[in-house]
Amino acid sequence: MMERNLIRSFSKYVSMSICSMLGISCYVLADTYFIANGVGSAGLAALNIAIPAYMVISACGLLLGMGGATLFSIETGRKSPKEILQSIFTTVIVLGAVVGAVLAILGWAIPSRIAYVLGATEGIRPFAAVYIRTMGTFAPAFVVSQILVCFVRNDGQPNLAMAAMIVSSFSNIVLDYVFVYPLHMGMFGAALATGISPVISISISLCHWFQKENHLRLNGRGMTKKWIVPVVKTGTPHFIGEISSGIVICLFNVVIGKIGGEVAIAAYGIIANVALVILAIFNGISQGVQPLMGRSFGAGEQEDLKKLFYLAAGLALLLGGAFYAFCALGAAGIVKLFNKEGLDALVEITVPGIRVYFSAFLFAGINVVAATYFSVILRPKAAFLNASLRGFLLPVPLVLLFAAWFGITGVWLSVPAAECLTLLIVLILYRKQKNGMR
């Protein structure tokens, strides 16, 4: 009976979390589609230049949201009083508001400079700067939205967290169409549609305040500095995972641009943004199982914790194989969706790129789940190493080395190679930790 309840809870939380993360990823994917077809390849290349700036905002939201929510779930498992739960929540919300405000100021003050640092050429820098400035304006909303979704999910309302993300995602798609096509607002319209989405998400998440079993209360007297370091330590692996994606995209843009120019950057834009959707599903598995792992760890239920890890890792492996097979077989159709101009060069670069790059999905899902597992059991060094290896320690040298050896194919190959090597090290870390718990 207990095992059936565990599987039922796992299915509920993970399925709803996957839907939530798909909603987040659709922000960028919708922009990719409408910009590719409404602005053209120059706009698509500019979007890929600007994506790392969005990932910085998202990384800050994950740092605070996942870090705080993990501590919240552990304290829930320990049956801590509501004052402690409110203290964690209040501290994280205040930090999120401050961080979001700083990011908004930077986005408004130096968008063109940021675009230049991210690798924008003169031809696409104006497009990228518009997108960065608009997204920066909504940085506080993005950060607070992610925090609220994480906490609402951990406070026993995964359905509401899912609803917040799905409705905001659908709104983004509708607004993208309206702003880019009928209103002809171009890059600004696409960015504005994406920026409005987290505001909608926040509005829906706030419905949790009317629930009877709500522990998420702002308490000015409950805010304390003692939670800041634990939140940052626990959330750092998630921050690194997201921020590293931005760093790698930036580096890949530079390397690919030197090899194949703006068309090659546009090709990478298609590959990277479709990959973000699939990685969002892995993150959904990871974030969905996190509240259950946290409560099990806090309550000392080690056997349940182990079962949850195996369930999450197994699901990630199964979906990773299915996604790779689907994308490899349907690569030409995927490219067609984003190639309104019918550029043969774009097809020639992107189709083989998808078939090589997406083989990383066979390994990436387990790595993502492992990072959350190590964070939950309060092994920040192992979680940090996991996130750093797949984030930048392996991809950065591998892309430079493989690009020199194999050209554009080497760029695509560097990502699955990095994920595979990370998985080998993760398995060693897991085995070592498991033996240490005996």
Side-chain angles (χ1 to χ4, degrees), residues 124-156:
I124 62 178
R125 195 190 304 179
F127 293 101
V130 167
Y131 195 90
I132 291 169
R133 171 171 283 175
T134 308
M135 292 291 287
T137 303
F138 290 92
F142 277 111
V143 173
V144 172
S145 171
Q146 286 200 325
I147 290 171
L148 287 177
V149 165
C150 289
F151 272 91
V152 167
R153 184 187 302 121
N154 277 266
D155 201 28

Side-chain angles (χ1 to χ4, degrees), residues 66-357:
M66 287 298 290
T70 298
L71 295 179
F72 183 94
S73 67
I74 292 173
E75 294 299 331
T76 300
R78 291 172 176 167
K79 309 297 183 183
S80 297
K82 65 179 183 179
E83 288 78 14
I84 290 180
L85 302 180
Q86 291 175 2
S87 177
I88 296 172
F89 177 67
T90 302
T91 302
V92 172
I93 284 290
V94 172
L95 286 174
V98 172
V99 170
V102 171
L103 293 173
I105 292 170
L106 291 175
W108 259 96
I110 52 172
S112 184
R113 182 65 182 171
I114 293 172
Y116 174 78
V117 170
L118 294 177
T121 62
E122 290 298 327
I124 62 178
R125 195 190 304 179
F127 293 101
V130 167
Y131 195 90
I132 291 169
R133 171 171 283 175
T134 308
M135 292 291 287
T137 303
F138 290 92
F142 277 111
V143 173
V144 172
S145 171
Q146 286 200 325
I147 290 171
L148 287 177
V149 165
C150 289
F151 272 91
V152 167
R153 184 187 302 121
N154 277 266
D155 201 28
Q157 290 290 320
N159 53 341
L160 184 61
M162 178 188 69
M165 296 315 305
I166 289 179
V167 173
S168 65
S169 176
F170 180 75
S171 301
N172 177 43
I173 294 171
V174 172
L175 292 174
D176 255 326
Y177 171 80
V178 173
F179 291 164
V180 174
Y181 289 131
L183 298 182
H184 303 289
M185 296 169 68
M187 293 291 291
F188 170 71
L192 179 61
T194 302
I196 292 173
S197 297
V199 177
I200 296 173
S201 174
I202 290 172
S203 301
I204 295 173
S205 295
L206 290 177
C207 293
H208 183 61
W209 266 250
F210 300 101
Q211 300 292 327
K212 186 177 181 180
E213 297 298 324
N214 168 32
H215 300 94
L216 306 181
R217 300 289 183 187
L218 291 174
N219 186 343
R221 290 180 296 177
M223 182 181 175
T224 174
K225 294 180 181 178
K226 78 173 186 177
W227 294 115
I228 296 178
V229 172
V231 164
V232 172
K233 285 177 65 177
T234 308
T236 292
H238 303 281
F239 175 85
I240 291 176
E242 189 76 3
I243 203 76
S244 297
S245 297
I247 293 171
V248 170
I249 288 175
C250 185
L251 175 63
F252 276 36
N253 283 331
V254 174
V255 173
I256 291 170
K258 290 181 179 178
I259 296 174
E262 289 184 6
V263 173
I265 294 177
Y268 178 54
I270 295 173
I271 292 172
N273 290 325
V274 173
L276 284 177
V277 176
I278 299 170
L279 288 172
I281 294 174
F282 295 148
N283 284 326
I285 297 172
S286 173
Q287 293 185 26
V289 77
Q290 173 265 316
L292 303 176
M293 282 184 174
R295 290 172 198 166
S296 296
F297 179 75
E301 298 168 349
Q302 297 299 330
E303 194 63 29
D304 284 353
L305 180 62
K306 183 173 69 173
K307 289 177 182 177
L308 287 166
F309 173 72
Y310 288 154
L311 283 170
L315 180 60
L317 179 61
L318 178 65
L319 291 180
F323 290 139
Y324 175 61
F326 176 80
C327 293
L329 293 173
I334 293 172
V335 177
K336 189 176 181 180
L337 289 173
F338 304 98
N339 189 20
K340 182 182 179 182
E341 296 164 297
L343 299 176
D344 291 336
L346 189 61
V347 177
E348 292 170 3
I349 295 173
T350 313
V351 169
I354 287 175
R355 290 171 179 160
V356 176
Y357 189 103

